[in-house]
Amino acid sequence: MTINIQGSSSALAMLEALTSQSSAAATSNAGAPTALLDATSSEPTAASIIDLSGGATSALSGLSAGLSNSASIADAGAAAGTSIVSLLSRMRQDAVTASNPDIGTDTLAALNAGFQSDLQQIAAAVSSAQVGGDNLIDGSVRGQASSQQAPGASLTGVNLSLGGPLIGLASAASLSDPATAASVAEQLGTAIDHAGQAVSQISAQGDAIQANLALVAQAGLSSNSASLVNPSLDGDGARLAALQVQQQLSIGGESIGNQAPQTILSLFR
């Protein structure tokens, strides 16, 4: 008669537990995360994933920088254009006042001085809209702004310069007399309409660029790249580790459970 593990109730209990834990461990292992992706790994698949992630992150960073530059160009143009529209409106009010045939000489001179100052401010506003060599409101950009642009950042320039097709009013204009002031007031009414439309166009382009910037931010490839290289151990992984420990304990318990009958047999040797 041979008494072995099949004949020991304690050993059988340990074996049953071991079998159950092995099955659970196998099931858990199927859902557990794989090994961490190491940037220095010789595994081709891991290396290719990391290379792809790094390339995507680099491309995303470049796109974001280009969009930001284009947004700055649009913002500068819109801000300067808004300022110009305000100046034109004030100049028109002065011109309407100066067109009164009964206006006094001193009052006309004061209005003309303010008018000349506003003309200079318009010229300065146009010049200040330049960002990185690109200016959307001086007529230099007829299509897309140059190297500062990026895909998804189409910018079309306008010309808000004095004497240009939108403003019309020359830099040498003045309110020298009521008749001239009346003509200037009429010109300024048209200029305000044209400048307002131009500013709306630039603002719409800037809004489109900001929307693309938001999409780039949502892509989040930078943070995803980090998670590819250093994934965290999730619940399945923790459960697998616990089951593996239980397996080792069951194996030890099975050995202890089988020792008792073997000890008794040794007495008959």
Side-chain angles (χ1 to χ4, degrees), residues 5-101:
I5 191 171
Q6 286 80 18
S8 170
S9 59
S10 59
L12 283 173
M14 291 296 179
L15 179 61
E16 181 178 357
L18 177 60
T19 301
S20 175
Q21 290 156 4
S22 296
S23 176
T27 301
S28 180
N29 187 44
T34 57
L36 300 183
L37 294 179
D38 185 355
T40 61
S41 172
S42 59
E43 171 60 37
T45 302
S48 64
I49 291 175
I50 293 171
D51 288 344
L52 175 61
S53 174
T57 300
S58 177
L60 186 68
S61 177
L63 177 59
S64 179
L67 287 169
S68 295
N69 286 333
S70 295
S72 297
I73 296 170
D75 288 346
T82 300
S83 176
I84 290 172
V85 172
S86 296
L87 288 168
L88 291 173
S89 297
R90 185 169 68 189
M91 292 166 66
R92 186 175 184 278
Q93 291 176 356
D94 289 345
V96 170
T97 302
S99 66
N100 185 351

Side-chain angles (χ1 to χ4, degrees), residues 23-185:
S23 176
T27 301
S28 180
N29 187 44
T34 57
L36 300 183
L37 294 179
D38 185 355
T40 61
S41 172
S42 59
E43 171 60 37
T45 302
S48 64
I49 291 175
I50 293 171
D51 288 344
L52 175 61
S53 174
T57 300
S58 177
L60 186 68
S61 177
L63 177 59
S64 179
L67 287 169
S68 295
N69 286 333
S70 295
S72 297
I73 296 170
D75 288 346
T82 300
S83 176
I84 290 172
V85 172
S86 296
L87 288 168
L88 291 173
S89 297
R90 185 169 68 189
M91 292 166 66
R92 186 175 184 278
Q93 291 176 356
D94 289 345
V96 170
T97 302
S99 66
N100 185 351
D102 298 328
I103 191 170
T105 303
D106 291 343
T107 302
L108 181 62
L111 288 172
N112 187 51
F115 184 85
Q116 298 301 319
S117 175
D118 288 341
L119 284 174
Q120 294 175 7
Q121 290 187 57
I122 288 178
V126 172
S127 298
S128 69
Q130 178 172 300
V131 176
D134 289 315
N135 190 321
L136 282 187
I137 64 171
D138 68 352
S140 61
V141 177
R142 292 179 174 80
Q144 287 190 339
S146 63
S147 60
Q148 302 296 319
Q149 293 246 20
S154 177
L155 293 175
T156 301
V158 298
N159 189 348
L160 294 180
S161 301
L162 292 171
L166 299 180
I167 300 299
L169 193 67
S171 59
S174 67
L175 305 179
S176 57
D177 57 73
T180 301
S183 176
V184 168

